PDB file of all heavy atoms in Angstrom:
ATOM      1  N   GLU A   7       6.920   7.367   0.088  1.00 58.00           N
ATOM      2  CA  GLU A   7       7.388   8.396  -0.834  1.00 58.00           C
ATOM      3  C   GLU A   7       8.451   9.270  -0.182  1.00 58.00           C
ATOM      4  O   GLU A   7       9.459   9.627  -0.798  1.00 58.00           O
ATOM      5  CB  GLU A   7       6.214   9.263  -1.291  1.00 58.00           C
ATOM      6  CG  GLU A   7       5.243   8.509  -2.203  1.00 58.00           C
ATOM      7  CD  GLU A   7       4.090   9.395  -2.613  1.00 58.00           C
ATOM      8  OE1 GLU A   7       4.114  10.599  -2.252  1.00 58.00           O
ATOM      9  OE2 GLU A   7       3.172   8.903  -3.299  1.00 58.00           O
ATOM     10  N   ARG A   8       8.266   9.599   1.112  1.00 54.00           N
ATOM     11  CA  ARG A   8       9.228  10.432   1.823  1.00 54.00           C
ATOM     12  C   ARG A   8      10.561   9.701   1.957  1.00 54.00           C
ATOM     13  O   ARG A   8      11.629  10.262   1.736  1.00 54.00           O
ATOM     14  CB  ARG A   8       8.679  10.801   3.206  1.00 54.00           C
ATOM     15  CG  ARG A   8       9.606  11.732   3.992  1.00 54.00           C
ATOM     16  CD  ARG A   8       9.012  12.052   5.355  1.00 54.00           C
ATOM     17  NE  ARG A   8       8.904  10.859   6.164  1.00 54.00           N
ATOM     18  CZ  ARG A   8       9.928  10.332   6.852  1.00 54.00           C
ATOM     19  NH1 ARG A   8      11.118  10.893   6.785  1.00 54.00           N
ATOM     20  NH2 ARG A   8       9.747   9.248   7.572  1.00 54.00           N
ATOM     21  N   ARG A   9      10.474   8.400   2.305  1.00 56.00           N
ATOM     22  CA  ARG A   9      11.698   7.625   2.439  1.00 56.00           C
ATOM     23  C   ARG A   9      12.410   7.513   1.095  1.00 56.00           C
ATOM     24  O   ARG A   9      13.635   7.528   1.015  1.00 56.00           O
ATOM     25  CB  ARG A   9      11.384   6.238   2.994  1.00 56.00           C
ATOM     26  CG  ARG A   9      11.028   6.250   4.477  1.00 56.00           C
ATOM     27  CD  ARG A   9      11.182   4.857   5.059  1.00 56.00           C
ATOM     28  NE  ARG A   9      10.311   3.892   4.398  1.00 56.00           N
ATOM     29  CZ  ARG A   9       9.074   3.588   4.815  1.00 56.00           C
ATOM     30  NH1 ARG A   9       8.579   4.189   5.889  1.00 56.00           N
ATOM     31  NH2 ARG A   9       8.347   2.700   4.163  1.00 56.00           N
ATOM     32  N   GLY A  10      11.630   7.417   0.004  1.00 54.00           N
ATOM     33  CA  GLY A  10      12.235   7.344  -1.321  1.00 54.00           C
ATOM     34  C   GLY A  10      12.973   8.619  -1.673  1.00 54.00           C
ATOM     35  O   GLY A  10      14.074   8.585  -2.240  1.00 54.00           O
ATOM     36  N   ARG A  11      12.338   9.775  -1.344  1.00 49.00           N
ATOM     37  CA  ARG A  11      12.998  11.056  -1.620  1.00 49.00           C
ATOM     38  C   ARG A  11      14.274  11.203  -0.799  1.00 49.00           C
ATOM     39  O   ARG A  11      15.295  11.686  -1.283  1.00 49.00           O
ATOM     40  CB  ARG A  11      12.040  12.216  -1.332  1.00 49.00           C
ATOM     41  CG  ARG A  11      10.920  12.375  -2.357  1.00 49.00           C
ATOM     42  CD  ARG A  11      10.242  13.717  -2.213  1.00 49.00           C
ATOM     43  NE  ARG A  11       9.616  13.880  -0.906  1.00 49.00           N
ATOM     44  CZ  ARG A  11       8.381  13.518  -0.616  1.00 49.00           C
ATOM     45  NH1 ARG A  11       7.616  12.948  -1.561  1.00 49.00           N
ATOM     46  NH2 ARG A  11       7.876  13.717   0.579  1.00 49.00           N
ATOM     47  N   GLU A  12      14.212  10.792   0.493  1.00 49.00           N
ATOM     48  CA  GLU A  12      15.405  10.865   1.346  1.00 49.00           C
ATOM     49  C   GLU A  12      16.520   9.985   0.794  1.00 49.00           C
ATOM     50  O   GLU A  12      17.695  10.363   0.828  1.00 49.00           O
ATOM     51  CB  GLU A  12      15.051  10.441   2.772  1.00 49.00           C
ATOM     52  CG  GLU A  12      14.167  11.441   3.500  1.00 49.00           C
ATOM     53  CD  GLU A  12      13.777  10.933   4.881  1.00 49.00           C
ATOM     54  OE1 GLU A  12      14.066   9.752   5.176  1.00 49.00           O
ATOM     55  OE2 GLU A  12      13.189  11.721   5.644  1.00 49.00           O
ATOM     56  N   HIS A  13      16.141   8.817   0.275  1.00 52.00           N
ATOM     57  CA  HIS A  13      17.127   7.915  -0.296  1.00 52.00           C
ATOM     58  C   HIS A  13      17.776   8.533  -1.534  1.00 52.00           C
ATOM     59  O   HIS A  13      18.997   8.458  -1.720  1.00 52.00           O
ATOM     60  CB  HIS A  13      16.463   6.584  -0.653  1.00 52.00           C
ATOM     61  CG  HIS A  13      17.408   5.578  -1.226  1.00 52.00           C
ATOM     62  ND1 HIS A  13      18.356   4.931  -0.459  1.00 52.00           N
ATOM     63  CD2 HIS A  13      17.573   5.127  -2.505  1.00 52.00           C
ATOM     64  CE1 HIS A  13      19.054   4.114  -1.230  1.00 52.00           C
ATOM     65  NE2 HIS A  13      18.596   4.211  -2.474  1.00 52.00           N
ATOM     66  N   ASP A  14      16.941   9.193  -2.379  1.00 51.00           N
ATOM     67  CA  ASP A  14      17.481   9.844  -3.580  1.00 51.00           C
ATOM     68  C   ASP A  14      18.431  10.984  -3.203  1.00 51.00           C
ATOM     69  O   ASP A  14      19.487  11.153  -3.820  1.00 51.00           O
ATOM     70  CB  ASP A  14      16.341  10.389  -4.432  1.00 51.00           C
ATOM     71  CG  ASP A  14      15.520   9.265  -5.062  1.00 51.00           C
ATOM     72  OD1 ASP A  14      16.036   8.136  -5.131  1.00 51.00           O
ATOM     73  OD2 ASP A  14      14.371   9.536  -5.466  1.00 51.00           O
ATOM     74  N   VAL A  15      18.044  11.773  -2.192  1.00 43.00           N
ATOM     75  CA  VAL A  15      18.906  12.871  -1.752  1.00 43.00           C
ATOM     76  C   VAL A  15      20.227  12.340  -1.209  1.00 43.00           C
ATOM     77  O   VAL A  15      21.307  12.862  -1.490  1.00 43.00           O
ATOM     78  CB  VAL A  15      18.184  13.728  -0.687  1.00 43.00           C
ATOM     79  CG1 VAL A  15      19.164  14.718  -0.056  1.00 43.00           C
ATOM     80  CG2 VAL A  15      17.008  14.465  -1.308  1.00 43.00           C
ATOM     81  N   ALA A  16      20.152  11.256  -0.436  1.00 47.00           N
ATOM     82  CA  ALA A  16      21.372  10.664   0.124  1.00 47.00           C
ATOM     83  C   ALA A  16      22.299  10.173  -0.980  1.00 47.00           C
ATOM     84  O   ALA A  16      23.517  10.336  -0.900  1.00 47.00           O
ATOM     85  CB  ALA A  16      21.016   9.517   1.063  1.00 47.00           C
ATOM     86  N   ASP A  17      21.720   9.584  -2.028  1.00 50.00           N
ATOM     87  CA  ASP A  17      22.531   9.137  -3.153  1.00 50.00           C
ATOM     88  C   ASP A  17      23.214  10.310  -3.858  1.00 50.00           C
ATOM     89  O   ASP A  17      24.386  10.220  -4.255  1.00 50.00           O
ATOM     90  CB  ASP A  17      21.667   8.366  -4.160  1.00 50.00           C
ATOM     91  CG  ASP A  17      21.279   6.991  -3.643  1.00 50.00           C
ATOM     92  OD1 ASP A  17      21.909   6.527  -2.670  1.00 50.00           O
ATOM     93  OD2 ASP A  17      20.339   6.390  -4.219  1.00 50.00           O
ATOM     94  N   GLU A  18      22.460  11.402  -4.019  1.00 46.00           N
ATOM     95  CA  GLU A  18      23.032  12.573  -4.671  1.00 46.00           C
ATOM     96  C   GLU A  18      24.157  13.180  -3.835  1.00 46.00           C
ATOM     97  O   GLU A  18      25.190  13.580  -4.362  1.00 46.00           O
ATOM     98  CB  GLU A  18      21.942  13.625  -4.914  1.00 46.00           C
ATOM     99  CG  GLU A  18      20.917  13.217  -5.967  1.00 46.00           C
ATOM    100  CD  GLU A  18      19.869  14.298  -6.164  1.00 46.00           C
ATOM    101  OE1 GLU A  18      20.114  15.428  -5.719  1.00 46.00           O
ATOM    102  OE2 GLU A  18      18.813  13.995  -6.748  1.00 46.00           O
ATOM    103  N   VAL A  19      23.950  13.248  -2.508  1.00 41.00           N
ATOM    104  CA  VAL A  19      24.975  13.780  -1.618  1.00 41.00           C
ATOM    105  C   VAL A  19      26.237  12.929  -1.696  1.00 41.00           C
ATOM    106  O   VAL A  19      27.355  13.434  -1.790  1.00 41.00           O
ATOM    107  CB  VAL A  19      24.455  13.847  -0.168  1.00 41.00           C
ATOM    108  CG1 VAL A  19      25.600  14.152   0.798  1.00 41.00           C
ATOM    109  CG2 VAL A  19      23.374  14.903  -0.056  1.00 41.00           C
ATOM    110  N   GLU A  20      26.079  11.614  -1.669  1.00 50.00           N
ATOM    111  CA  GLU A  20      27.214  10.706  -1.723  1.00 50.00           C
ATOM    112  C   GLU A  20      27.969  10.853  -3.041  1.00 50.00           C
ATOM    113  O   GLU A  20      29.207  10.803  -3.075  1.00 50.00           O
ATOM    114  CB  GLU A  20      26.736   9.264  -1.554  1.00 50.00           C
ATOM    115  CG  GLU A  20      27.849   8.242  -1.387  1.00 50.00           C
ATOM    116  CD  GLU A  20      28.667   8.463  -0.136  1.00 50.00           C
ATOM    117  OE1 GLU A  20      28.129   9.002   0.844  1.00 50.00           O
ATOM    118  OE2 GLU A  20      29.863   8.098  -0.153  1.00 50.00           O
ATOM    119  N   ALA A  21      27.207  11.050  -4.118  1.00 50.00           N
ATOM    120  CA  ALA A  21      27.835  11.184  -5.431  1.00 50.00           C
ATOM    121  C   ALA A  21      28.646  12.472  -5.539  1.00 50.00           C
ATOM    122  O   ALA A  21      29.629  12.536  -6.270  1.00 50.00           O
ATOM    123  CB  ALA A  21      26.772  11.144  -6.530  1.00 50.00           C
ATOM    124  N   GLU A  22      28.214  13.535  -4.821  1.00 50.00           N
ATOM    125  CA  GLU A  22      28.880  14.826  -4.907  1.00 50.00           C
ATOM    126  C   GLU A  22      30.027  14.982  -3.908  1.00 50.00           C
ATOM    127  O   GLU A  22      30.819  15.911  -4.014  1.00 50.00           O
ATOM    128  CB  GLU A  22      27.862  15.957  -4.670  1.00 50.00           C
ATOM    129  CG  GLU A  22      26.807  16.084  -5.762  1.00 50.00           C
ATOM    130  CD  GLU A  22      27.434  16.424  -7.107  1.00 50.00           C
ATOM    131  OE1 GLU A  22      28.406  17.201  -7.131  1.00 50.00           O
ATOM    132  OE2 GLU A  22      26.963  15.901  -8.129  1.00 50.00           O
ATOM    133  N   ARG A  23      30.118  14.081  -2.944  1.00 57.00           N
ATOM    134  CA  ARG A  23      31.166  14.191  -1.928  1.00 57.00           C
ATOM    135  C   ARG A  23      32.546  13.932  -2.518  1.00 57.00           C
ATOM    136  O   ARG A  23      32.713  13.096  -3.395  1.00 57.00           O
ATOM    137  CB  ARG A  23      30.942  13.161  -0.804  1.00 57.00           C
ATOM    138  CG  ARG A  23      29.859  13.506   0.178  1.00 57.00           C
ATOM    139  CD  ARG A  23      29.811  12.454   1.264  1.00 57.00           C
ATOM    140  NE  ARG A  23      31.092  12.342   1.962  1.00 57.00           N
ATOM    141  CZ  ARG A  23      31.436  11.299   2.709  1.00 57.00           C
ATOM    142  NH1 ARG A  23      30.629  10.258   2.811  1.00 57.00           N
ATOM    143  NH2 ARG A  23      32.600  11.297   3.328  1.00 57.00           N
ATOM    144  N   TRP A  24      33.556  14.641  -2.003  1.00 70.00           N
ATOM    145  CA  TRP A  24      34.924  14.293  -2.320  1.00 70.00           C
ATOM    146  C   TRP A  24      35.261  12.991  -1.619  1.00 70.00           C
ATOM    147  O   TRP A  24      34.736  12.706  -0.538  1.00 70.00           O
ATOM    148  CB  TRP A  24      35.874  15.386  -1.820  1.00 70.00           C
ATOM    149  CG  TRP A  24      35.890  16.609  -2.677  1.00 70.00           C
ATOM    150  CD1 TRP A  24      35.057  16.893  -3.720  1.00 70.00           C
ATOM    151  CD2 TRP A  24      36.776  17.709  -2.542  1.00 70.00           C
ATOM    152  NE1 TRP A  24      35.364  18.097  -4.255  1.00 70.00           N
ATOM    153  CE2 TRP A  24      36.423  18.645  -3.556  1.00 70.00           C
ATOM    154  CE3 TRP A  24      37.818  18.019  -1.689  1.00 70.00           C
ATOM    155  CZ2 TRP A  24      37.088  19.842  -3.725  1.00 70.00           C
ATOM    156  CZ3 TRP A  24      38.486  19.218  -1.861  1.00 70.00           C
ATOM    157  CH2 TRP A  24      38.128  20.122  -2.862  1.00 70.00           C
ATOM    158  N   PRO A  25      36.135  12.187  -2.201  1.00 77.00           N
ATOM    159  CA  PRO A  25      36.538  10.958  -1.514  1.00 77.00           C
ATOM    160  C   PRO A  25      37.197  11.281  -0.179  1.00 77.00           C
ATOM    161  O   PRO A  25      37.955  12.242  -0.059  1.00 77.00           O
ATOM    162  CB  PRO A  25      37.555  10.327  -2.482  1.00 77.00           C
ATOM    163  CG  PRO A  25      37.263  10.938  -3.799  1.00 77.00           C
ATOM    164  CD  PRO A  25      36.758  12.316  -3.528  1.00 77.00           C
ATOM    165  N   SER A  26      36.877  10.492   0.821  1.00 81.00           N
ATOM    166  CA  SER A  26      37.493  10.701   2.135  1.00 81.00           C
ATOM    167  C   SER A  26      38.946  10.255   2.108  1.00 81.00           C
ATOM    168  O   SER A  26      39.411   9.591   1.173  1.00 81.00           O
ATOM    169  CB  SER A  26      36.727   9.903   3.191  1.00 81.00           C
ATOM    170  OG  SER A  26      36.891   8.509   2.955  1.00 81.00           O
ATOM    171  N   ALA A  27      39.671  10.608   3.169  1.00 79.00           N
ATOM    172  CA  ALA A  27      41.075  10.191   3.269  1.00 79.00           C
ATOM    173  C   ALA A  27      41.194   8.676   3.261  1.00 79.00           C
ATOM    174  O   ALA A  27      42.143   8.117   2.692  1.00 79.00           O
ATOM    175  CB  ALA A  27      41.694  10.765   4.537  1.00 79.00           C
TER     176      ALA A  27
END
Side-chain angles (χ1 to χ4, degrees):
E7 291 179 5
R8 183 180 64 81
R9 287 199 300 268
R11 287 194 298 271
E12 290 177 351
H13 181 72
D14 291 341
V15 170
D17 287 344
E18 291 180 16
V19 169
E20 189 63 28
E22 293 298 323
R23 283 183 58 198
W24 283 8
S26 67

